[in-house]
Amino acid sequence: MDVNEFREAAKAAIDEITDYHQNVSSQRVVSAVQPGYLRPLLPPSAPIEPEPFAAIRADLHDKIMPGITHWSSPGFMAFFPCSSSYPAAIAEMYSNAFNGAHFNWICSPAVTELETIVLDWVAQALGLPECYTSGGSTHGGGVLHGTASEALLTVMVAARDKYIAARTGHLPEGDDREDETWRLRSKLVALGSAGAHSSTKKAAQVLGVRFATVPVYEEDGFALKGEHLAKTLDELAAKGLEPFYLTTTMGTTDVCAVDDFAGIAATLQNREAGPPSSTSIRPEIFVHVDAAYAGSALLLPQNQHIARSFAHFHSFNFNPHKWMLTTFDCSATFVKSRADLITALSIKPPYLRNQFSDNELVTDYRDWQIPLGRRFRSLKLWFVLRSYGISGLQRHIQNGVSLGESLEEKLRSRPDLFAVFTPARFALVSLRVVGADGIEVNRRTEEVYERVNAAGEFYLTSTVVDGKFAIRVCLGVAAAREEHVRGVFGVLVREAEQVVMV
């Protein structure tokens, strides 16, 4: 493809992408293809000779598009949104043009410096404690990872090394310290609530440490409470195990529960203030706040009180690519102390050295992440923040919140059909279909769920909490409006009436 062909194809692609977004609501939300549909439609091997771009574009429409689930559709009410916007899409084009690995400052100074500046903007906009900014009192700051799972694994690595260093720091270098390090590794336990995302357990699996669950209860709104954490810590200590890390959650995947951050902080402070045993040192537990979806709701002033307790913790993460109109992937991680990451992750072979890095004049984000290379993700966040302003992003978030509250109100108007399982929280509502007993409620709810998705107009997801099957409806997609709330409620009523009358 020469430059003229590129200009023509790129302009045509922009028009087609724009048309796609304008007409996405007319598409069936979930692809209707069957597994393996694509292989018979494509050649068994790559072409030897180049093909015209027109043929590639035709195959995109005819063969690829039928297998796409439309996450930007207003009928997409599953999982959590994976948002997009025109400013972010344009920024992606520039980012691709400035293609590079960008692993240290000298690779592209603007890539590093814009990331630092933009993440300070974001921290301020969310009302995070000043310790999470680059100029804060604890030398913290932000970094962009690909996903919240990647961020969680990264901070767990830092937590592990920090804990072991604290537990072995009294020993001289040598075999005794090495032996104690490996003994401790076999005893380490990462914690998360029963509602925490599975990425905590997966990160523990990757690191080769144990994972333990802190129970949560319906009467607490499925939030992790300090007293239940304290009991779990005591149980682990009685077994001779070493809890070193905890994932807390703002907006759990199942029901968008918000953990009791103040109670958790108080529990851990009491534990750390208590007398350690005579034979061991008790380091602090590293606490991470996973706010992958709901963190964007901190843009609303009425939610910013939630972040006050984060000053007692060590890291915070949310995904602008979920609810903040920034295309995937873009996951913002903030740490109270950048040294926690750098100490655990910094490797300095000769080929990465330069005068700026050697003299510690710059930030090298390769030391804040597991991969070496990195994308220019901050560019799209910068475009979005400037194009919408904080006020525009607040209106977008508030729209989802209001739609969730509207759906909850409608569900409560039909107690003959529905019971609200968890009330509207950050644009997520969960519901169950009424029945004579728990078994019938589960059966009816699952049947309604399957019927709604089979119709294809809306895409919902389900969850099972404490053996209770519930339908989740998430209304954070940018295109969602009140008419779509009425639409999904109408479909739920239609299908529930069919099931209940049987």
Side-chain angles (χ1 to χ4, degrees):
M1 178 180 286
D2 63 26
V3 63
N4 292 324
E5 291 172 323
F6 173 70
R7 287 182 189 276
E8 181 181 354
K11 290 175 181 177
I14 291 294
D15 288 338
E16 291 180 347
I17 291 169
T18 304
D19 290 341
Y20 167 75
H21 283 291
Q22 287 184 322
N23 300 310
V24 69
S25 61
S26 65
Q27 302 278 347
R28 178 187 170 90
V29 183
V30 180
S31 168
V33 301
Q34 297 299 309
Y37 90 98
L38 188 57
R39 183 169 292 277
L41 303 179
L42 297 180
S45 59
I48 301 299
E49 300 298 331
E51 298 184 21
F53 191 75
I56 300 171
R57 188 168 65 187
D59 281 350
L60 171 69
H61 288 283
D62 297 340
K63 298 172 183 177
I64 303 301
M65 282 293 289
I68 297 294
T69 291
H70 304 289
W71 286 64
S72 59
S73 168
F76 186 95
M77 300 177 182
F79 307 111
F80 293 115
C82 193
S83 61
S84 180
S85 65
Y86 293 130
I90 293 170
E92 287 277 22
M93 294 169 63
Y94 281 113
S95 179
N96 289 335
F98 306 145
N99 187 45
H102 307 308
F103 42 78
N104 59 17
W105 180 88
I106 196 64
C107 288
S108 279
V111 174
T112 292
E113 296 193 15
L114 184 64
E115 187 159 332
T116 303
I117 293 166
V118 165
L119 286 174
D120 280 347
W121 286 6
V122 171
Q124 293 163 10
L126 298 180
L128 297 183
E130 58 83 30
C131 58
Y132 290 108
T133 61
S134 65
S137 57
T138 57
H139 304 289
V143 58
L144 290 174
H145 292 139
T147 67
S149 297
E150 180 187 334
L152 197 149
L153 175 61
T154 302
V155 298
M156 193 183 289
V157 169
R160 179 197 62 188
D161 286 12
K162 183 176 184 177
Y163 187 90
I164 289 176
R167 287 283 273 110
T168 61
H170 63 290
L171 297 173
E173 293 284 351
D175 290 344
D176 288 346
R177 187 168 183 175
E178 182 79 1
D179 289 344
E180 179 63 5
T181 293
W182 286 103
R183 187 194 72 80
L184 283 170
R185 280 180 175 247
S186 70
K187 301 291 186 180
L188 293 179
V189 183
L191 295 166
S193 81
H197 191 270
S198 59
S199 54
T200 296
K201 184 175 183 180
K202 185 173 183 178
Q205 181 177 323
V206 171
L207 294 185
V209 300
R210 304 178 196 223
F211 172 74
T213 298
V214 183
V216 295
Y217 301 96
E218 187 171 354
E219 58 265 30
D220 298 323
F222 301 107
L224 171 59
K225 305 289 285 187
E227 58 263 35
H228 303 311
L229 172 62
K231 181 179 179 182
T232 301
L233 291 174
D234 289 343
E235 291 170 350
L236 293 171
K239 296 177 181 177
L241 298 175
E242 304 260 355
F244 74 102
Y245 169 92
L246 169 67
T247 292
T248 62
T249 311
M250 177 186 168
T252 59
T253 301
D254 288 323
V255 294
C256 239
V258 176
D259 287 345
D260 175 21
F261 298 120
I264 292 166
T267 294
L268 294 177
Q269 286 170 347
N270 291 337
R271 177 182 181 273
E272 291 154 13
S277 69
S278 59
T279 58
S280 66
I281 300 167
R282 179 183 282 171
E284 64 180 359
I285 292 175
F286 190 109
V287 182
H288 174 67
V289 180
D290 175 14
Y293 165 65
S296 296
L298 292 174
L299 287 170
L300 300 179
Q302 63 265 33
N303 294 327
Q304 293 188 351
H305 67 279
I306 297 171
R308 292 173 192 157
S309 295
F310 298 171
H312 300 291
F313 304 149
H314 299 81
S315 58
F316 168 87
N317 168 266
F318 86 110
N319 292 345
H321 67 236
K322 276 192 167 72
W323 202 11
M324 215 175 91
L325 302 178
T326 306
T327 48
F328 189 89
D329 58 4
C330 185
S331 185
T333 304
F334 298 87
V335 291
K336 184 187 291 187
S337 171
R338 65 185 67 183
D340 292 344
L341 295 180
I342 295 170
T343 300
L345 299 170
S346 179
I347 297 291
K348 296 183 178 179
Y351 55 80
L352 292 179
R353 297 185 61 182
N354 61 80
Q355 60 177 321
F356 305 104
S357 299
D358 290 350
N359 293 320
E360 298 184 349
L361 299 175
V362 296
T363 296
D364 282 340
Y365 280 122
R366 64 183 174 83
D367 296 331
W368 297 44
Q369 63 180 32
I370 292 171
L372 174 62
R374 55 203 328 275
R375 301 179 63 235
F376 194 0
R377 297 185 181 100
S378 62
L379 193 66
K380 56 189 175 184
L381 198 50
W382 188 52
F383 272 43
V384 167
L385 287 167
R386 294 187 64 186
S387 297
Y388 288 92
I390 300 302
S391 63
L393 294 172
Q394 288 172 333
R395 285 191 294 273
H396 163 63
I397 299 296
Q398 185 59 57
N399 177 65
V401 171
S402 299
L403 294 180
E405 293 169 349
S406 175
L407 178 59
E408 179 187 348
E409 182 180 359
K410 290 176 174 58
L411 291 168
R412 292 191 186 281
S413 73
R414 292 299 305 268
D416 57 318
L417 295 176
F418 305 112
V420 172
F421 184 53
T422 53
R425 186 185 290 120
F426 307 131
L428 177 72
V429 185
S430 65
L431 64 122
R432 283 157 57 81
V433 179
V434 297
D437 54 30
I439 294 174
E440 185 175 65
V441 169
N442 278 356
R443 179 186 61 78
R444 286 179 169 182
T445 305
E446 186 169 4
E447 186 174 350
V448 168
Y449 165 71
E450 297 289 354
R451 291 168 69 109
V452 171
N453 281 345
E457 186 179 355
F458 298 95
Y459 180 31
L460 312 179
T461 44
S462 63
T463 188
V464 179
V465 183
D466 287 347
K468 297 177 179 180
F469 188 98
I471 299 171
R472 300 167 69 262
V473 186
C474 186
L475 292 152
V477 170
R481 297 292 183 267
E482 179 62 28
E483 65 190 85
H484 304 111
V485 176
R486 290 193 299 268
V488 73
F489 177 68
V491 172
L492 284 166
V493 168
R494 182 188 71 207
E495 301 303 337
E497 287 178 338
Q498 291 292 321
V499 169
V500 169
M501 288 191 302
V502 172

